[in-house]
Amino acid sequence: MKNIAILGSTGSIGTQTLDIVDGSNGELNVVALSAGRNIELLEEQTRKYRPYLICVETKEDAEELGIRLNDTDVRIVYGMEGLTDVASFPKSDMLVTAIVGMVGLKPTIAAIKSKKTICLANKETLVTAGHIIMPLAKEYGVDILPVDSEHSAVFQCLQGENREDVEKIILTASGGPFRGKTLEELKNVTLAQALKHPNWSMGKKITIDSATMVNKGLEVIEAKWLFGMDSDKIEVVVHPQSIIHSMVEFKDGGIKAQLGIPDMRLPIQYAITYPDRLPIKNSERLSFKECSRLDFEEPDMEVFKGLKLAFKALENGGNSSVMYNAANEYLVSMFLREKISFLDIPKYIEFAMNEGTFTENPNVDEILETEAEVKRILESEICR
Amino acid sequence: MKNIAILGSTGSIGTQTLDIVDGSNGELNVVALSAGRNIELLEEQTRKYRPYLICVETKEDAEELGIRLNDTDVRIVYGMEGLTDVASFPKSDMLVTAIVGMVGLKPTIAAIKSKKTICLANKETLVTAGHIIMPLAKEYGVDILPVDSEHSAVFQCLQGENREDVEKIILTASGGPFRGKTLEELKNVTLAQALKHPNWSMGKKITIDSATMVNKGLEVIEAKWLFGMDSDKIEVVVHPQSIIHSMVEFKDGGIKAQLGIPDMRLPIQYAITYPDRLPIKNSERLSFKECSRLDFEEPDMEVFKGLKLAFKALENGGNSSVMYNAANEYLVSMFLREKISFLDIPKYIEFAMNEGTFTENPNVDEILETEAEVKRILESEICR
């Protein structure tokens, strides 16, 4: 039996992780959970999975939950300290970081230092601090197992292969709802249009990131750290059907791909049960009768400048990826509140990357300082 | 350094195997070769690779070669005994069985008993005697490494996976030059038309087998033995571009595929250098810019009855696959001599499978007897 803790248990990845727990015939046991503001669902999850420890964002919610759950003996914590307690909870073997945003960074570091296996769904952790996380995981002998479907596909394709035989990683991208559109056509895109992803049902932030292709940019940066590949060895191919989840090219010219009907439960489960595979309840199987055609095209990096800027951030090095990610986090939240336009997202990411203070090898405090600086820069620029 | 022997060194797979030797920077050393009747090329190969032992089909050719090569100290043998000497040559570590037809059976058994790693390109060996070969290889601790691009793809996809997690093998088929044709349209197909394969450049026999889809049938039977899969776990999908070489579906619903520009040197080299991969000289890389679309369709087993009959042979069991293969070998040779029509091939395969004497668990002699019987049956039926 594996004891797992989940950061972000009420989100899309979090709830699907709990589906996997449900289907595990008791092989997986939930010992700690964290959520943001959705205390109704966290209460429900606590009654069902009986964790020892739960965490919410605010003190008020923690107190409210304390009243609601006073018939149980669950311990309730809150804030960053609470998140860190969940991440490093002594009874857990494995942490699923399904939380969104840079808030996942410190708890993940705490989990690694407590020797928890990390199932990583929080891409900001590696995007902003891959240069800290990967050596730390190595030092503590901790596996970082990708949950993202693309990185899971790459990870699956690497099984049984020598890392030195890898020539290139090919990340597939659906292209999002605006694939094939011109810059002119993207000018007046609405929030509702941007929230309609063609293939995957995901949280709002990642759905917007998918529409701007910043999501793919973040994945490129994440892949660099996860698989130790230089950015010129990482390629993005637009594949609208999202059937091939990603590929690896080897030095003999052979390519391996992982494919299937889009279903996040597969990569989540693969990370949790790795190296074993288990059946997934009601999983839809790929039928080549129905799926009779797969298409591929090059991404248009002029229209989807958010992707191009990720490669630029990797080229710049230092804290450039932090600026890229922090700017995007802030700008997506502004777009979700309909304060800025769709094309403002890449425009102001670039602005922030140009205006932010460059730091060569940022530590955690400097990463967080970069994040704060980027927000200040953007706030004053946008609200002028 | 690996010492290799090659059965069928002057054929398509044989010469490409020697290309791999050329590119190996001295890591591969040729110690024994066999050819059929192409003694010019075998002479050339002998002068270049300096094997200790070579074998030809007839005594006359052996004598002729002896005169031509009397300035060297190569030993020259011939016939089935000679093939067996090459296969079990003491100085070799590995045998590449690139010979075509059931003639490969006895030498392969000899090689296994001499503990040579087998790079298997001769599909008739497993098709007719998989029930003998696989247990024998296990007994002698010998690896049977597939060279066929489809089986190599499956083998590559299985690396790092648990065999018990495999749910299905999906063999891709180009569909050959007659994909999409009706039975009516196939009635008057010429030899020249059948010899035009859309994607692969191969020997004549296998090119015809590809046009009838008997080749895929043989591969289905071979896959059953190589990977220990029941025939209901082996699926054939027509994929005209021949980019995806085959796939494996796992019990979590995930699929792995191996893909690339068709180039037989990759699977040949992978078998020889397994589990390592090496660069291949002038290998063409897959570009998703050029290869922007992959199609899939179900095979039409009424038009390509040769494929359906393979599943029937597996269902019948015993020596049915021997009848299937022996009938096809004879019928293709007749078609190549323009003695029978294209559609006569599946028609008479079925006839032979109905008329041949069934044997439950045939030994090698019974396999060869079945082959002889099938030829007698077909000769008398066709030449009536």
Side-chain angles (χ1 to χ4, degrees), chain A residues 177-186 189 300 303-304:
Chain A
F178 304 134
R179 181 177 62 87
K181 293 267 186 283
T182 63
L183 277 175
E184 191 54 36
E185 292 170 309
L186 291 187
V189 153
D300 185 337
V303 173
F304 297 95

Side-chain angles (χ1 to χ4, degrees), chain A residues 156 161-162 165 167 249 251-252 254-259 266 276-278 285 292-294 296, chain B residues 156 161-162 165 167 249 251-252 254-259 266 276-278 285 292-294 296:
Chain A
Q156 290 177 54
E161 300 284 348
N162 300 319
D165 290 346
E167 191 157 289
E249 183 170 330
K251 62 184 181 191
D252 58 5
I255 296 174
K256 271 190 192 171
Q258 193 267 343
L259 51 157
L266 195 155
D276 298 322
R277 294 178 184 269
L278 293 175
R285 296 306 169 104
S292 63
R293 175 175 169 173
L294 303 178
F296 305 90
Chain B
Q156 290 176 56
E161 300 284 348
N162 300 319
D165 290 346
E167 192 156 288
E249 183 169 330
K251 63 186 181 191
D252 58 4
I255 296 175
K256 271 191 190 169
Q258 192 268 344
L259 52 157
L266 194 155
D276 298 322
R277 293 178 184 270
L278 293 174
R285 295 307 169 106
S292 64
R293 175 174 169 175
L294 303 178
F296 304 90

Side-chain angles (χ1 to χ4, degrees), chain A residues 44-312:
Chain A
E44 206 180 286
Q45 291 176 345
T46 303
R47 294 196 182 280
K48 180 169 178 187
Y49 297 100
R50 302 255 159 219
Y52 299 97
L53 179 70
I54 61 175
C55 174
V56 288
E57 200 170 313
T58 67
K59 191 178 175 193
E60 294 67 40
D61 283 345
E63 286 167 355
E64 167 68 21
L65 256 183
I67 297 166
R68 294 192 192 193
L69 288 166
N70 75 350
D71 57 321
T72 73
D73 51 6
V74 68
R75 213 181 108 215
I76 305 176
V77 291
Y78 64 91
M80 181 53 76
E81 207 175 314
L83 277 182
T84 306
D85 287 349
V86 168
S88 56
F89 189 63
K91 284 198 167 67
S92 83
D93 308 309
M94 177 175 263
L95 176 69
V96 180
T97 63
I99 199 167
V100 175
M102 287 177 64
V103 67
L105 180 52
K106 282 187 169 174
T108 304
I109 290 175
I112 292 171
K113 289 184 173 171
S114 308
K115 301 210 174 191
K116 313 298 183 195
T117 300
I118 309 290
C119 298
L120 192 82
N122 172 274
K123 59 185 66 165
E124 290 82 0
T125 304
L126 286 186
V127 167
T128 62
H131 61 292
I132 296 169
I133 295 290
M134 294 311 290
L136 194 71
K138 203 177 168 188
E139 183 187 337
Y140 283 86
V142 159
D143 281 335
I144 308 275
L145 304 169
V147 166
D148 238 4
S149 71
E150 291 80 357
H151 300 94
S152 176
V154 169
F155 183 65
Q156 290 177 54
C157 291
L158 288 173
Q159 295 308 310
E161 300 284 348
N162 300 319
R163 291 298 169 105
E164 57 268 35
D165 290 346
V166 174
E167 191 157 289
K168 194 162 70 179
I169 285 173
I170 305 166
L171 297 177
T172 54
S174 71
F178 304 134
R179 181 177 62 87
K181 293 267 186 283
T182 63
L183 277 175
E184 191 54 36
E185 292 170 309
L186 291 187
K187 265 187 181 161
N188 299 309
V189 153
T190 65
L191 176 59
Q193 289 170 324
L195 283 172
K196 273 208 182 115
H197 193 276
N199 305 323
W200 293 96
S201 161
M202 306 177 290
K204 278 185 184 178
K205 157 80 165 58
I206 193 173
T207 302
I208 300 302
D209 287 349
S210 184
T212 59
M213 290 193 81
V214 167
N215 184 47
K216 208 51 54 178
L218 294 170
E219 286 173 10
V220 168
I221 301 172
E222 204 184 357
K224 173 204 159 69
W225 293 110
L226 260 179
F227 306 114
M229 298 296 284
D230 287 339
S231 60
D232 61 339
K233 301 286 187 188
I234 304 172
E235 192 179 307
V236 174
V237 172
V238 173
H239 164 47
Q241 294 92 352
S242 293
I243 293 295
I244 293 188
H245 302 318
S246 279
M247 302 179 249
V248 175
E249 183 170 330
F250 298 93
K251 62 184 181 191
D252 58 5
I255 296 174
K256 271 190 192 171
Q258 193 267 343
L259 51 157
I261 298 285
D263 182 345
M264 276 309 293
R265 293 178 303 165
L266 195 155
I268 295 170
Q269 179 177 278
Y270 188 76
I272 295 176
T273 64
Y274 167 80
D276 298 322
R277 294 178 184 269
L278 293 175
I280 295 177
K281 222 172 27 185
N282 308 320
S283 81
E284 203 188 331
R285 296 306 169 104
L286 185 63
S287 151
F288 287 99
K289 201 170 162 182
E290 283 154 35
C291 165
S292 63
R293 175 175 169 173
L294 303 178
D295 292 285
F296 305 90
E297 60 192 54
E298 284 192 296
D300 185 337
M301 298 227 213
E302 295 315 312
V303 173
F304 297 95
K305 206 172 178 183
L307 176 56
K308 192 183 189 174
L309 290 168
F311 284 98
K312 182 93 169 84

Side-chain angles (χ1 to χ4, degrees), chain B residues 56-75:
Chain B
V56 287
E57 201 171 312
T58 66
K59 191 178 175 192
E60 295 68 39
D61 282 346
E63 285 166 355
E64 166 67 21
L65 257 182
I67 296 165
R68 295 191 191 193
L69 289 166
N70 75 349
D71 57 321
T72 72
D73 51 7
V74 66
R75 212 182 108 215

Side-chain angles (χ1 to χ4, degrees), chain A residues 361-376:
Chain A
N361 188 27
N363 61 29
V364 173
D365 287 339
E366 288 165 331
I367 288 169
L368 297 175
E369 173 42 39
T370 299
E371 183 189 22
E373 186 200 31
V374 162
K375 283 187 184 169
R376 283 196 306 274

Side-chain angles (χ1 to χ4, degrees), chain A residues 311-329:
Chain A
F311 284 98
K312 182 93 169 84
L314 281 181
E315 199 184 296
N316 293 352
N319 62 340
S320 295
S321 297
V322 184
M323 297 184 209
Y324 174 84
N325 178 68
N328 182 61
E329 268 191 48

